[in-house]
Amino acid sequence: MRDGFYLSSYVTIPGLHRLAMVSYRHDNNVSLWHKEGSLIRLLGHWEFERMSGLKHHRTPFLSLEELRAFVNGLIGPFGVSLDDMTEIWGTPGLATTNDYHFVEEYPELSFHSIAHLYSAMLLDSETFFGGDILTLAVDGGPDRLLDGRYKRYWFTGAVSRRGVVETFPVASPGLLYSTAKDRFKMREGTLMALATATTATGRCDRQHILDSYDFTGLAALEGAPRAFEEIVAQVKETASTDPDFTEEESFVSAAMKEIQAISVMVMERNIETALERYDLDPATTHLALAGGYALNCPTNSHLMEKYGFRGFLAPPCVDDGGQAVGIGLAAFHKKTGGEPFTFRFPGAYLGRADDDLDGALAEFGDHVAEVSDLDLDQAVRDILAEPIAWFHGRSEIGPRALGNRSLIGDPTSRAAKDALNAFKLREWWRPVAPVVLEDRLAEWFEDSRPSPYMLETFTIREERRAQIPAVAHLDYSARVQSLNAGQNPALHALLTAFHERTGVPMLCNTSLNDKGEPIIDTIRETINFCLRRRISVAYLNGRRVAFKNFDRYAAGGPYPRMRQPFTAIPESRAEAVHAELNPYGLPELYLHVLYLDLALSGKFDLRTEEGAAEAYEAVDSRLRADPSLRQAAERSMRRAEHRFTTFGPDALLNLELGAVRQITGA
């Protein structure tokens, strides 16, 4: 394998479907790598939502040229462009080779799941090539671009013994959670938080649910909704209420307690089956987790505690935002022939930097009261008075704030928690995560271990609970981020100063973003947020900035991000695109059927008369055979129109699984 720069990508392909705002991938992202001899380095990883402002970014580019220009803008600070890449992997059309993946080697397993596996189990080459790892990729669904029609098994486990990997299908609770999200109209994180926020309870026959429904793949599209309905029906008969919450909130909380318990049972069954089948000793085996469900911190900690694994492996971007990392690591392992190489995940701070503080201050000059150098004693006084914004260096990757784009508050104050929730327009009952000095972790949390990416929960020691009310859940657990000086020197220094002043080695740390908006990426976005939310002080790349004139700040929403490539296409350009890609005028309804139906998607070249005629005949035949397909396509057309007229951070719906549900009737 040649030395040089490599790019892995997980991006929706450009094309005609952009006009209908149809996407096949969400959480679009790219990773830049460098190989020199046996040393492989991850130089940068960029999640498109940070630049576009579109949560779970899934919007396609219209042309490959626009996509290439966008990616070149990300990797340009490293002095390279796509033309300098030795190879490019992951996205058809952008990729320069197709020998990097495992699509043909695993005919029944989703490569999407394989990539998730590698993103977790190859975080440290010494552990991967020198020990045993049990990995579970537990997501909500596969990827249709590389796998084509979905594989039989969507979710994959693996056992790696000294770098030799054996895979097997597993079940995932992901679709059970996504069904709950759809039915309760709340995000998964909100549902998890609400489950632990109330005293409300209900009962269902958990073992019956576990034994009755299939959560392994395509069958889960039907199984998860049916399981959800049965859980909800049983809980409704037995649910209690919490007087501090509405009846609806109490019911949702009770139902989510049962869904969480069943989800844990699914994961336990996966692990116990693998331990027995592969004769693994947890005491000498690392547990690695990836996929969206791996954001479920209580499950992660429960599995570590119950089975006593040697260690825990997961990247900060465990969801699809880490697909490019997994695609890259899988490619290096495959293309080096399984020979050992050296790689260590460099930590979370792999996104963009913004060094234009002077330009930002000039833009907002009427609202800047004072600018001074960082003084840690002053910073602690500011935090004790009210929460601050903290912006430093390169942005962290993944969906959780890890200290470079954060709102920081006093963990000893309930008022600080209330203020943080008010700033973010969140429910009053939402707890706030603590960032904790790693060497003090055991003094404050039971059975704790380093957790640098906020992927585990630990119980606050009984004698410490009264001291840190802002970070405690109802059960006195907390979603912890541990930190040492090597991981983030600036934030570690702030934590140390706060500890020296208060005796408490932690701070409240929540993401710096508006409701429904991705985490902020630039200084201007930060200042805009502070002025709209009346946050008095921000620390920006080591400078203290105090604000004024809040009443005179007119902006009513987030600072504009890079929206131009992702907004509605002008009619003149849309006509030109149709002339180029759909010159024989296949009707819009028929185009949506092609996008939705996995058996037809990508099968016809609409640029030729023969291809257009074959597509028309195939779609026409499907519509006659299945009248409900016309209704599904019409709904897709209405959604496309809605996206153009109500464009916003959460306007673009993910059609990967929605398409399958419509076609299968699940």
Side-chain angles (χ1 to χ4, degrees):
M1 188 177 186
R2 290 184 293 160
D3 288 351
F5 291 96
Y6 291 81
L7 187 97
S8 54
S9 68
Y10 184 74
V11 181
T12 293
I13 56 174
L16 185 62
H17 54 280
R18 168 67 173 87
L19 300 179
M21 298 295 247
V22 172
S23 171
Y24 305 121
R25 287 173 165 175
H26 59 90
D27 294 324
N28 287 196
N29 56 96
V30 298
S31 297
L32 178 65
W33 310 81
H34 186 259
K35 178 184 180 297
E36 184 176 5
S38 63
L39 176 64
I40 293 170
R41 292 186 298 147
L42 176 58
L43 303 180
H45 179 78
W46 298 274
E47 297 156 319
F48 286 15
E49 68 170 31
R50 299 293 184 98
M51 282 68 75
S52 71
L54 301 171
K55 190 81 170 169
H56 300 299
H57 182 109
R58 52 179 59 88
T59 310
F61 288 86
L62 186 56
S63 70
L64 185 60
E65 291 72 26
E66 289 181 347
L67 171 57
R68 290 178 63 89
F70 185 82
V71 175
N72 279 334
L74 299 177
I75 66 178
F78 290 89
V80 296
S81 72
L82 289 173
D83 293 335
D84 299 310
M85 298 299 105
T86 306
E87 291 182 3
I88 301 173
W89 308 315
T91 300
L94 187 64
T96 57
T97 176
N98 65 356
D99 64 349
Y100 61 89
H101 53 60
F102 294 90
V103 173
E104 294 180 0
E105 287 89 336
Y106 298 105
E108 292 194 319
L109 298 178
S110 162
F111 176 67
H112 183 78
S113 193
I114 299 292
H116 272 315
L117 291 177
Y118 274 92
S119 75
M121 69 181 175
L122 229 173
L123 285 181
D124 185 289
S125 58
E126 184 176 345
T127 302
F128 180 73
F129 289 110
D132 293 346
I133 305 173
L134 170 60
T135 312
L136 301 175
V138 279
D139 206 1
D143 165 42
R144 79 192 278 179
L145 289 188
L146 291 182
D147 288 317
R149 297 193 69 183
Y150 291 137
K151 301 294 186 73
R152 178 180 178 187
Y153 297 112
W154 288 5
F155 316 114
T156 308
V159 169
S160 170
R161 286 192 169 99
R162 299 184 179 275
V164 178
V165 177
E166 186 172 352
T167 58
F168 51 91
V170 299
S172 171
L175 276 173
L176 191 55
Y177 255 88
S178 61
T179 300
K181 177 193 72 172
D182 293 341
R183 303 295 174 83
F184 289 139
K185 308 300 182 187
M186 299 182 188
R187 294 186 182 277
E188 292 93 335
T190 303
L191 291 171
M192 281 190 284
L194 184 56
T196 59
T198 82
T199 59
T201 60
R203 295 188 306 277
C204 74
D205 189 338
R206 299 173 181 176
Q207 192 65 48
H208 166 74
I209 299 293
L210 182 67
D211 293 337
S212 299
Y213 298 100
D214 186 344
F215 299 104
T216 59
L218 187 61
L221 277 174
E222 179 180 358
R226 290 176 57 199
F228 174 85
E229 295 298 340
E230 187 164 351
I231 293 167
V232 165
Q234 293 186 32
V235 169
K236 192 170 290 186
E237 297 295 324
T238 59
S240 64
T241 58
D242 186 321
D244 292 330
F245 292 79
T246 68
E247 185 174 337
E248 177 64 18
E249 288 171 337
S250 294
F251 170 69
V252 172
S253 179
M256 290 311 304
K257 285 182 173 71
E258 294 303 293
I259 287 172
Q260 172 66 12
I262 293 164
S263 298
V264 170
M265 293 167 69
V266 171
M267 296 296 286
E268 289 175 341
R269 178 174 287 184
N270 284 333
I271 286 176
E272 289 164 8
T273 300
L275 292 177
E276 180 178 356
R277 177 179 177 183
Y278 296 98
D279 192 25
L280 294 171
D281 179 4
T284 59
T285 302
H286 281 76
L287 175 65
L289 296 176
Y293 184 75
L295 289 167
N296 192 302
C297 300
T299 299
N300 300 344
S301 293
H302 170 82
L303 298 177
M304 289 295 296
E305 293 164 11
K306 178 171 181 174
Y307 298 103
F309 286 102
R310 180 178 179 181
F312 180 69
L313 298 170
C317 47
V318 292
D319 57 4
D320 283 2
Q323 271 287 299
V325 173
I327 289 170
L329 290 172
F332 283 117
H333 187 225
K334 179 178 181 179
K335 294 172 75 69
T336 55
E339 290 297 315
F341 54 80
T342 300
F343 171 76
R344 176 164 292 178
F345 188 73
Y349 309 108
L350 293 169
R352 291 194 304 175
D354 181 2
D355 299 321
D356 189 21
L357 176 59
D358 290 340
L361 293 177
E363 180 176 333
F364 293 92
D366 291 343
H367 302 281
V368 176
E370 180 185 0
V371 181
S372 57
D373 291 334
L374 170 65
D375 176 273
L376 289 173
D377 290 336
Q378 178 63 54
V380 171
R381 289 196 295 272
D382 287 336
I383 292 168
L384 290 172
E386 62 179 340
I388 64 168
W390 180 268
F391 182 107
H392 188 85
R394 295 176 68 180
S395 60
E396 59 270 79
I397 64 175
R400 290 175 179 162
L402 296 173
N404 276 9
R405 306 288 188 272
S406 290
L407 290 168
I408 299 292
D410 175 10
T412 70
S413 166
R414 292 185 185 274
K417 184 196 81 166
D418 293 340
L420 289 168
N421 282 335
F423 290 151
K424 297 185 63 175
L425 306 181
R426 301 198 315 182
E427 299 86 354
W428 64 269
W429 42 263
R430 292 285 288 263
V432 179
V435 54
V436 187
L437 291 173
E438 185 180 287
D439 59 358
R440 299 288 179 172
L441 197 60
E443 300 172 12
W444 289 76
F445 297 92
E446 299 174 1
D447 301 319
S448 59
R449 59 194 149 268
S451 177
Y453 305 135
M454 211 180 282
L455 289 172
E456 291 199 67
T457 56
F458 305 122
T459 300
I460 302 169
R461 291 189 177 279
E462 186 173 3
E463 66 274 17
R464 300 287 195 181
R465 293 171 184 174
Q467 293 176 263
I468 49 174
V471 300
H473 295 207
L474 188 67
D475 60 0
Y476 296 108
S477 66
R479 191 181 71 194
V480 171
Q481 175 194 357
S482 62
L483 190 76
N484 60 48
Q487 292 163 341
N488 190 327
L491 184 59
H492 186 271
L494 180 65
L495 273 168
T496 301
F498 189 85
H499 181 220
E500 290 173 351
R501 169 71 181 271
T502 67
V504 177
M506 71 188 74
L507 290 163
C508 293
N509 174 24
T510 191
S511 58
L512 183 57
N513 62 287
D514 219 330
K515 186 175 184 179
E517 180 192 35
I519 297 175
I520 280 168
D521 204 43
T522 69
I523 293 172
R524 287 170 172 82
E525 293 163 20
T526 303
I527 295 176
N528 168 278
F529 182 88
C530 289
L531 293 176
R532 289 188 298 109
R533 294 291 187 263
R534 296 177 175 267
I535 296 173
S536 300
V537 175
Y539 284 81
L540 307 173
N541 287 344
R543 306 292 301 281
R544 180 183 186 271
V545 180
F547 300 111
K548 65 180 182 179
N549 297 332
F550 297 102
D551 291 334
R552 289 164 48 190
Y553 189 66
Y559 192 88
R561 305 202 200 190
M562 189 186 298
R563 290 291 181 83
Q564 190 279 326
F566 313 117
T567 51
I569 306 298
E571 185 175 347
S572 59
R573 192 174 182 202
E575 290 175 355
V577 172
H578 269 286
E580 178 186 356
L581 301 179
N582 184 29
Y584 296 95
L586 197 70
E588 184 180 1
L589 177 72
Y590 282 48
L591 288 174
H592 279 262
V593 173
L594 288 179
Y595 304 146
L596 294 172
D597 194 331
L598 296 177
L600 300 178
S601 182
K603 188 176 180 180
F604 307 100
D605 185 354
L606 302 183
R607 295 170 298 179
T608 68
E609 184 175 6
E610 180 183 12
E614 290 176 347
Y616 187 94
E617 183 177 348
V619 172
D620 200 56
S621 176
R622 286 285 284 116
L623 289 171
R624 288 196 304 271
D626 182 7
S628 67
L629 183 56
R630 179 181 295 274
Q631 298 174 350
E634 289 173 346
R635 286 196 297 271
S636 178
M637 292 169 62
R638 289 195 295 271
R639 281 198 301 269
E641 179 64 28
H642 179 69
R643 292 179 202 115
F644 285 127
T645 57
T646 60
F647 204 84
D650 208 25
L652 302 182
L653 302 177
N654 174 19
L655 292 185
E656 288 180 19
L657 298 181
V660 182
R661 290 192 182 98
Q662 290 171 332
I663 300 305
T664 62

